[in-house]
Amino acid sequence: MAASHASRTDDWWRSAVIYQIYPRSFADGDGDGTGDLAGVRAQMPYLAELGVDAVWFTPWYSSPLVDGGYDVADYRTIDPAFGTLEEAEKLIAEAAEFGLKVIVDIVPNHVSDQHAWFQAALAAGPGSPERKLFHFRPGRGENGELPPNDWPSQFSGTTWTRVPDGEWYLHLFTPQQPDLNWSHPQVLREHEEVLRFWFERGVAGVRIDSAALLTKHPAMPDFVEGVDPHPYIDQDEIHDIYRSWRTIADEYGGVFVGEVWLPDTERFARYLRPDELHTAFNFNFLACPWEPDRLRRTIDDTLAEHAPVNAPATWVLCNHDVTRTVTRYGRTDTAFSFDTKRFDTPTDLALGTRRARAAALLTLALPGSVYLYQGEELGLPEADVPLERIQDPMHFRSGGTDPGRDGCRVPLPWSADAPYYGFGAHREPWLPQPDDWSHYAVDRQATDPESMLTLYRTALHLRRLEAGFGEGPMTWLSGQDDVLAFARPHGLVCMVNFSGRPTDLPPYKRLILASGPLDEHGRLPGDTAAWLRV
């Protein structure tokens, strides 16, 4: 038998399944239309029954919610829409009783424009110590009317905003998210204190937003496409910050996962050196199309880039920023890119769902840890949010061409026949749920042996129980071009058929689980995966 759940201690994160909670949309405890900590606490048995090891919360701090909470006004208070600090402490303790660890989200690149530091900087004026905590600069042009440089935004639009006294401040995201100056010791000290604050409240780990963006080239030169080094992505100095953070994490036994979007695998691996971050998200896998050769190459590349630093890979199919898996896999282009997101892209949801079920077994069989985004276990599709209800700044800053990210953030359906599908009792949710979601509801899927929820519950239970899963070696098995098959320890084999026709399974002792029924001849149908013991 593999190590049991209870015996995973210090290195639990190397093989864990971590469930991502977007607090506004998980469950609404007080019925005001916004998800909250009371809702999460009430659904703790659901998370435990699902079989995950930890929950990661996107930011739950005090925030004007201009960018879904990634504009933090105060790291030491919970946003009143979600609850209180005392409630967060109770949640962390209750999660532990259910055997669940808690990971919080830290956003070190920027704060909200409502943060006390930025309000003080605006009031203090040019040249003041308060402004040194941010990137305030005089403009270019005859009267300073042009931005200090031409850096491209992480969202559409400009990266500089001018204040009434004539200076400009940098914001790689929205104007409501001013970038911090990480060459200032006070910025470093504040974040170290925030890390301690949450580790002392019992969190097991920290997810680091936009982890490669913190340090900027001091001269702030113009951006030139293709010229290295990039003036604000992956500056060498950033690694000193994470080394200082790692000493704090080690003191508390805490774990880091970085949001690191970098195409260069060698540069990516630097963040995972033994004295820096423990893990980083694997976005190449998330963005990869549903094609066997591309997936195989991505898996190989991922394992190869993690091997030299002995870090476990993390596998993720979707999150709060990307098109939901069943929708993406039902399209002609099954890859994900922010540049190609469009309204009204045709989708075959039945095909997408079949592929997403297969992808679940593929992902859960790979070496390392897995992140599961809320609603993925229900097979939720991307929702069409009416134009007048869209809230995501990505939509507005694109001039309305980008549908934004709200379609994957729609509140979860819990009860098929309850108002608002049981998300909350009294008021319509902050984003509207589609009219045809009753069959996705938790209560309906829980009693259906063929549902996506049943598949995930079964797979997660087996992954914990059966030998060969989690961290460890894997070996590709030779076979047809349109089939991926690999062996894990103890005779465990995962096989995925990407073709349009059934394929023979290798000789096996036991079929552990399949994402769909085998055909009448015992063959694996197209877009179906199986776990075997050979």
Side-chain angles (χ1 to χ4, degrees), residues 51-380:
V52 296
D53 300 291
V55 284
W56 153 40
F57 288 85
T58 56
W60 56 13
Y61 318 106
S62 175
S63 167
L65 295 173
V66 170
D67 183 24
Y70 283 91
D71 47 323
V72 178
D74 183 354
Y75 272 114
R76 294 172 180 82
T77 61
I78 301 295
D79 196 89
F82 301 145
T84 63
L85 180 59
E86 183 188 15
E87 216 171 348
E89 290 168 342
K90 282 182 185 164
L91 185 154
I92 293 164
E94 287 163 4
E97 288 170 16
F98 281 100
L100 296 167
K101 298 179 189 301
V102 171
I103 295 172
V104 294
D105 210 319
I106 297 289
V107 190
N109 179 69
H110 49 263
V111 291
S112 165
D113 62 351
Q114 300 305 304
H115 190 285
W117 282 8
F118 192 71
Q119 290 294 307
L122 289 178
S128 61
E130 290 86 348
R131 288 207 172 175
K132 301 247 181 324
L133 297 171
F134 300 91
H135 296 282
F136 278 89
R137 295 285 187 279
R140 295 195 286 197
E142 199 172 327
N143 301 301
E145 71 280 5
L146 299 174
N149 66 30
D150 67 353
W151 287 0
S153 174
Q154 296 301 104
F155 293 170
S156 309
T158 174
T159 51
W160 293 91
T161 291
R162 198 175 193 187
V163 298
D165 58 43
E167 282 204 318
W168 298 73
Y169 69 88
L170 176 70
H171 51 86
L172 294 181
F173 294 86
T174 69
Q176 293 85 7
Q177 293 165 289
D179 280 41
L180 290 165
N181 174 14
W182 272 91
S183 64
H184 198 297
Q186 195 178 335
V187 173
L188 185 67
R189 194 164 58 245
E190 166 70 1
H191 281 79
E192 289 176 345
E193 287 172 11
V194 165
L195 290 174
R196 289 183 187 281
F197 181 89
W198 286 105
F199 282 137
E200 281 169 9
R201 274 154 186 78
V203 305
V206 171
R207 181 260 190 188
I208 304 164
D209 181 68
S210 300
L213 301 185
L214 279 53
T215 50
K216 304 341 188 233
H217 191 295
M220 293 201 155
D222 279 344
F223 171 73
V224 183
E225 188 76 53
V227 171
D228 287 333
H230 193 288
Y232 66 76
I233 296 176
D234 187 37
Q235 299 272 305
D236 287 340
E237 295 74 22
I238 204 164
H239 297 286
D240 296 333
I241 296 166
Y242 293 134
R243 284 189 193 98
S244 78
W245 285 24
R246 179 61 180 255
T247 59
I248 296 169
D250 287 348
E251 193 182 317
Y252 291 95
V255 176
F256 290 130
V257 55
E259 183 195 26
V260 183
W261 295 78
L262 286 180
D264 183 324
T265 55
E266 189 272 328
R267 301 281 307 184
F268 174 86
R270 293 182 188 191
Y271 290 82
L272 299 173
R273 288 177 289 202
D275 59 348
E276 294 192 39
L277 308 183
H278 300 75
T279 58
F281 284 122
N282 174 10
F283 291 109
N284 293 338
F285 182 76
L286 173 149
C288 190
W290 184 249
E291 295 168 14
D293 53 333
R294 294 280 295 278
L295 280 164
R296 178 171 174 157
R297 195 158 67 242
T298 300
I299 292 164
D300 281 341
D301 289 350
T302 299
L303 295 173
E305 71 192 15
H306 286 74
V309 285
N310 190 32
T314 62
W315 308 101
V316 54
L317 290 169
C318 71
N319 61 29
H320 64 291
D321 287 332
V322 307
T323 306
R324 282 200 175 271
T325 314
V326 299
T327 298
R328 184 161 57 89
Y329 282 165
R331 293 177 171 174
T332 307
D333 179 5
T334 54
F336 175 78
S337 167
F338 286 110
D339 301 336
T340 58
K341 278 192 80 171
R342 295 288 177 269
F343 286 101
D344 303 322
T345 308
T347 297
D348 178 345
L349 273 184
L351 175 65
T353 301
R354 196 160 70 244
R355 289 171 169 173
R357 289 173 68 93
L361 297 200
L362 166 67
T363 308
L364 291 168
L366 290 168
S369 60
V370 175
Y371 280 77
L372 176 62
Y373 176 48
Q374 66 178 44
E376 204 173 341
E377 78 281 13
L378 304 177
L380 289 187

Side-chain angles (χ1 to χ4, degrees), residues 324-511:
R324 282 200 175 271
T325 314
V326 299
T327 298
R328 184 161 57 89
Y329 282 165
R331 293 177 171 174
T332 307
D333 179 5
T334 54
F336 175 78
S337 167
F338 286 110
D339 301 336
T340 58
K341 278 192 80 171
R342 295 288 177 269
F343 286 101
D344 303 322
T345 308
T347 297
D348 178 345
L349 273 184
L351 175 65
T353 301
R354 196 160 70 244
R355 289 171 169 173
R357 289 173 68 93
L361 297 200
L362 166 67
T363 308
L364 291 168
L366 290 168
S369 60
V370 175
Y371 280 77
L372 176 62
Y373 176 48
Q374 66 178 44
E376 204 173 341
E377 78 281 13
L378 304 177
L380 289 187
E382 189 85 354
D384 286 323
V385 178
L387 276 177
E388 68 277 7
R389 297 291 297 274
I390 292 177
Q391 299 194 23
D392 183 20
M394 273 189 117
H395 169 68
F396 302 108
R397 286 173 65 82
S398 72
T401 59
D402 184 331
R405 299 163 295 177
D406 289 343
C408 66
R409 299 175 174 184
V410 170
L412 297 191
W414 292 94
S415 308
D417 300 320
Y420 313 121
Y421 304 120
F423 168 71
H426 311 304
R427 194 179 298 173
E428 188 190 6
W430 71 282
L431 284 175
Q433 299 156 303
D435 294 333
D436 58 350
W437 267 22
S438 57
H439 62 287
Y440 292 113
V442 170
D443 63 347
R444 201 162 280 185
Q445 291 204 40
T447 57
D448 177 2
E450 307 301 320
S451 72
M452 184 77 90
L453 178 58
T454 299
L455 177 73
Y456 264 101
R457 281 179 173 173
T458 306
L460 290 170
H461 175 72
L462 289 168
R463 187 181 188 271
R464 188 175 281 182
L465 213 60
E466 295 270 350
F469 287 101
E471 210 189 6
M474 70 167 271
T475 311
W476 293 109
L477 302 174
S478 57
Q480 306 115 281
D481 290 344
D482 44 15
V483 172
L484 282 187
F486 55 90
R488 300 298 320 274
H490 306 288
L492 175 67
V493 166
C494 177
M495 186 167 174
V496 190
N497 182 8
F498 291 79
S499 75
R501 59 195 178 281
T503 188
D504 291 322
L505 292 168
Y508 61 91
K509 284 196 290 191
R510 181 161 65 95
L511 173 65

